[in-house]
Amino acid sequence: MAAMGAMAALGALPAGAGALPPLPTLGVPGVPELKPLTRYEAMRLGPGWSHSCHAMLYAPNPGMLFGRIPLRYAVLMQMRFDGLLGFPGGFVDRRYWSLEDGLNRVLGLGLGCVRLTEADYLCSHLTEGPHRVVAHFYARQLTLEELHTIEISAVHSRDHGLEVMGMVRVPLYTQKDRMGGLPNFLGNSFVGTAKFQLLFALKILNMVPEEKLAEAVAATQKPKKPAIDHAAAAKAANELVGPARAGNEFQDSAENQAAAQAAAELAEQPAAVPESQAALEQLAAAPVAEAVAAEQPVQPRADAAADAAQAVAEAME
């Protein structure tokens, strides 16, 4: 709470009150930096700027996951209607509402039982993109019991199941595989500045060490193994099998032709001695027996025909 009050006081100082210390930045490799500005500077922007206000509610959590992984804090975010993760809040019309009044009005629709004040103000950033939007961010530390009460009341709020699909807790640990926990969570899709605001708050409020944040972000940026294209793999396999199949068919055809030619030459020869005739019958029966054993059609073999021709020639001599 002391850190948040200091940030609120810093943002409220007028420009002529003396030199302001440099505004904090995220400074995590791999995360594009947004331009910070004080609350005072944000309020001096012209009417062409829109203002969005969102809040991070969190509580220290002494629990252990699987009895060995410290949970550190319980941090609430929302699954939105568009499938993106974000913080509770929304746009505030500055013509009718102050930042905090507008934020509390939106929170009442999505949570139902929490009110924030200027003391909970954390930071403001100019967003990227074609729209001129200033993103204001608030943070309120609660007890774990209070946070759980908000989670229960959120189910009965007006927007539950419509604009808000449900509350989620952010895992602030990293498992031994270096992906489970915060890295995998950061791999989700976030709306607008929500991902930046999450990392910024975790760093500024000392909820996660800066080097751990950098490691979690770096883990999400590692190239993933390309998905196997099963259709392309099947096509490539068919292309490889096709020539081999054609080669086998050509070889079988050549063997069949050789066997037929040898049989024709045998038919033109005079009758051989009984020994040669027995040898011929035995050799001719061999492919048939093999085919019957394999339950496949008989295929003449070129080597069997050649052996038969040689036996006939030797018998005639």
Side-chain angles (χ1 to χ4, degrees):
M1 294 297 291
M4 290 181 285
M7 291 294 294
L10 178 63
L13 289 176
L20 294 174
L23 293 173
T25 58
L26 178 58
V28 174
V31 180
E33 198 75 48
L34 298 182
K35 180 181 179 181
L37 69 167
T38 65
R39 180 189 176 94
Y40 179 77
E41 292 171 336
M43 295 298 98
R44 288 175 58 88
L45 294 175
W49 288 84
S50 299
H51 297 262
S52 67
C53 297
H54 294 83
M56 183 181 81
L57 305 177
Y58 68 98
N61 190 348
M64 303 284 285
L65 177 65
F66 307 132
R68 55 183 176 82
I69 301 177
L71 296 178
R72 296 177 178 164
Y73 290 88
V75 177
L76 292 188
M77 294 192 74
Q78 291 178 333
M79 176 61 70
R80 293 160 38 96
F81 64 94
D82 52 11
L84 301 177
L85 289 170
F87 287 102
F91 282 95
V92 173
D93 193 337
R94 290 281 293 129
R95 296 175 299 175
Y96 307 107
W97 308 92
S98 68
L99 292 179
E100 289 74 32
D101 288 341
L103 174 60
N104 287 324
R105 178 177 178 273
V106 179
L107 292 181
L109 301 177
L111 298 181
C113 62
V114 62
R115 291 189 59 84
L116 302 185
T117 67
E118 188 174 336
D120 300 313
Y121 171 85
L122 187 62
C123 61
S124 297
H125 289 88
L126 297 180
T127 63
E128 296 179 335
H131 303 291
R132 306 174 73 186
V133 177
V134 184
H136 304 281
F137 197 51
Y138 295 74
R140 166 75 68 86
Q141 178 175 323
L142 305 169
T143 66
L144 197 58
E145 292 74 16
E146 290 172 334
L147 198 74
H148 185 57
T149 300
I150 291 177
E151 290 176 306
I152 295 175
S153 65
V155 178
H156 304 285
S157 65
R158 195 196 74 173
D159 285 346
H160 181 75
L162 298 173
E163 295 188 26
V164 179
M165 297 295 102
M167 307 298 296
V168 298
R169 292 192 183 190
V170 182
L172 300 186
Y173 49 82
T174 300
Q175 295 181 259
K176 290 184 178 180
D177 62 358
R178 298 178 181 268
M179 285 301 298
L182 185 58
N184 276 334
F185 186 84
L186 295 177
N188 288 301
S189 297
F190 295 78
V191 63
T193 59
K195 183 176 181 179
F196 178 90
Q197 290 172 330
L198 171 63
L199 296 173
F200 185 86
L202 295 180
K203 174 188 174 181
I204 295 301
L205 300 178
N206 297 317
M207 300 171 68
V208 176
E210 184 175 347
E211 62 275 12
K212 295 296 182 181
L213 287 179
E215 292 175 2
V217 172
T220 64
Q221 297 172 346
K222 292 181 179 179
K224 298 181 179 180
K225 295 181 179 180
I228 299 177
D229 190 342
H230 296 283
K235 181 179 179 181
N238 290 334
E239 291 176 353
L240 293 175
V241 171
R245 183 180 300 167
N248 292 337
E249 292 176 353
F250 177 79
Q251 181 179 359
D252 293 343
S253 177
E255 293 178 352
N256 293 342
Q257 291 178 1
Q261 182 178 359
E265 293 176 354
L266 287 175
E268 296 176 357
Q269 297 294 335
V273 297
E275 290 79 7
S276 62
Q277 184 66 28
L280 285 173
E281 292 177 355
Q282 182 178 3
L283 291 173
V288 177
E290 293 177 1
V292 171
E295 293 184 0
Q296 295 182 355
V298 178
Q299 297 290 341
R301 297 192 330 191
D303 53 350
D307 294 342
Q310 182 178 358
V312 171
E314 291 176 356
M316 292 180 65
E317 292 175 359

